[in-house]
Amino acid sequence: MRGVAFGDVRPAPGEAYLILRLHRRPRGGWGEVASKSEDPSSWTYELLPIQQPVRGRALQTDTLRKGWPCLSPPLVFQLSVYNSHGRSVPIDHPELSRRLVHMTMQVDLVSPDGLERRAQMLVPKVAPGSRLSPSESGPSSCTNHVPVRTVLGSTFRCVQTLSVDNRRGLFFLFPDLVVRPVGSHAFEGRLIDVAGPRHIGTSIGVTRPVTRVRTQAFENYHPNVYPGAHPITDLSRQFLAQGERYLGRKTRSDDLDVDVDDGITSIDDEGDLEEDRFFAQGRGRSISVSALRT
């Protein structure tokens, strides 16, 4: 065309020489890729108590000392996660790993039917210079009551990846629990997302449990009639072989060829030390116990 000036002819840009390659089909299929991009807020969490305590030795108002047996066998929960289609989420899923970092599990003492909370008990505080016998536990002999925790040990646990029968899974282990009051009790386990829901976080100051479960009842014996710790279980042996401790009675295991630690505990928690000081001073020598409803 006349009157039209054309510029110099330049080489084509590098993008023009790119070759598009088709990706290989994923080993698990394209459905697996879609599931990994699924919104984790639709996942459901399930706690299963795969090992539950049968008996324990009631600590009552004594000071927790080294050599005191824990509940046996130790309490163990397994965590399973399912997507919106009911399929199990792999434990190595990257999004699951990110969520579990902000999750913890708590156990509380409850009645066997789960209707009564027994996280604390009231201990009459004896006035200085006075003595309180078991038959004189009335309100006239006490100036006030002091609440103390009924469960000593680690009541909060983070998830652990362990193997059972050569299959990896997610577990919560509570190997060092000691209960004060005598009687039949149970535990309620709650999975808590510390970060809170994604849309509100923890701005409202309330973190609701993701899921909860209650164990079967166990008997906490008076020290004079305590029949002894429960023998070590096969599940505890498997965890001991993977480096866990305080999961059974002290014995020589021929299968593992290692020394199995005794089911004892020594609590260093500041709250427990404060309770120990209270009882060591003689202010809680004889008590009447009542459970607090929380």
Side-chain angles (χ1 to χ4, degrees):
M1 297 177 60
R2 295 181 179 179
V4 178
F6 293 93
D8 298 336
V9 179
R10 298 180 179 180
E15 292 82 354
Y17 298 97
L18 292 178
I19 301 177
L20 298 180
R21 292 184 178 181
L22 296 178
H23 292 280
R24 292 183 178 180
R25 181 177 181 270
R27 183 175 301 177
W30 293 107
E32 181 181 356
V33 177
S35 63
K36 289 187 177 181
S37 61
E38 184 182 5
D39 183 9
S41 62
S42 62
W43 291 351
T44 57
Y45 299 79
E46 181 182 85
L47 287 171
L48 179 65
I50 60 175
Q51 181 169 277
Q52 307 178 53
V54 176
R55 54 179 176 261
R57 185 180 182 185
L59 184 63
Q60 296 183 310
T61 62
D62 292 340
T63 300
L64 185 62
R65 58 186 181 273
K66 186 175 182 180
W68 196 273
C70 305
L71 294 178
S72 61
L75 181 59
V76 179
F77 295 91
Q78 183 172 8
L79 175 64
S80 300
V81 185
Y82 302 94
N83 59 22
S84 58
H85 303 289
R87 301 189 184 95
S88 178
V89 178
I91 63 174
D92 56 353
H93 194 291
E95 185 62 31
L96 178 59
S97 301
R98 285 191 289 267
R99 289 182 64 86
L100 290 178
V101 170
H102 303 285
M103 288 189 178
T104 184
M105 185 177 180
Q106 178 193 16
V107 293
D108 279 330
L109 194 69
V110 297
S111 59
D113 56 7
L115 300 179
E116 183 181 10
R117 300 287 184 182
R118 298 177 178 176
Q120 291 182 326
M121 66 183 187
L122 290 176
V123 177
K125 184 178 180 180
V126 183
S130 63
R131 297 177 62 88
L132 180 65
S133 64
S135 60
E136 297 176 348
S137 58
S140 60
S141 303
C142 304
T143 58
N144 58 348
H145 290 72
V146 178
V148 295
R149 290 189 297 171
T150 56
V151 181
L152 303 184
S154 301
T155 56
F156 285 87
R157 283 287 183 176
C158 296
V159 68
Q160 296 177 255
T161 303
L162 298 169
S163 298
V164 175
D165 298 332
N166 296 324
R167 297 184 60 180
R168 297 172 66 238
L170 303 174
F171 301 93
F172 293 93
L173 279 63
F174 297 87
D176 58 352
L177 300 180
V178 176
V179 178
R180 287 191 181 276
V182 177
S184 297
H185 311 283
F187 282 107
E188 181 184 78
R190 295 178 294 176
L191 182 64
I192 302 173
D193 186 358
V194 180
R198 179 173 297 181
H199 61 291
I200 60 175
T202 57
S203 59
I204 60 175
V206 178
T207 303
R208 296 182 178 180
V210 178
T211 185
R212 63 179 69 201
V213 65
R214 188 175 75 251
T215 67
Q216 65 184 13
F218 66 91
E219 190 68 24
N220 208 34
Y221 291 89
H222 189 278
N224 294 340
V225 296
Y226 178 60
H230 190 278
I232 187 172
T233 63
D234 292 338
L235 180 64
S236 295
R237 291 182 187 276
Q238 294 189 53
F239 289 156
L240 286 167
Q242 299 173 61
E244 297 300 319
R245 301 183 62 190
Y246 308 115
L247 291 173
R249 302 176 60 184
K250 191 172 184 179
T251 181
R252 169 67 68 174
S253 174
D254 295 333
D255 298 334
L256 302 179
D257 195 26
V258 296
D259 283 328
V260 180
D261 292 318
D262 196 357
I264 60 177
T265 184
S266 178
I267 304 301
D268 296 328
D269 186 83
E270 185 65 27
D272 297 331
L273 290 177
E274 186 64 28
E275 294 175 10
D276 291 345
R277 295 190 193 103
F278 171 79
F279 293 117
Q281 293 172 2
R283 292 178 290 173
R285 188 172 293 110
S286 301
I287 66 168
S288 61
V289 178
S290 61
L292 290 178
R293 295 181 181 272
T294 60

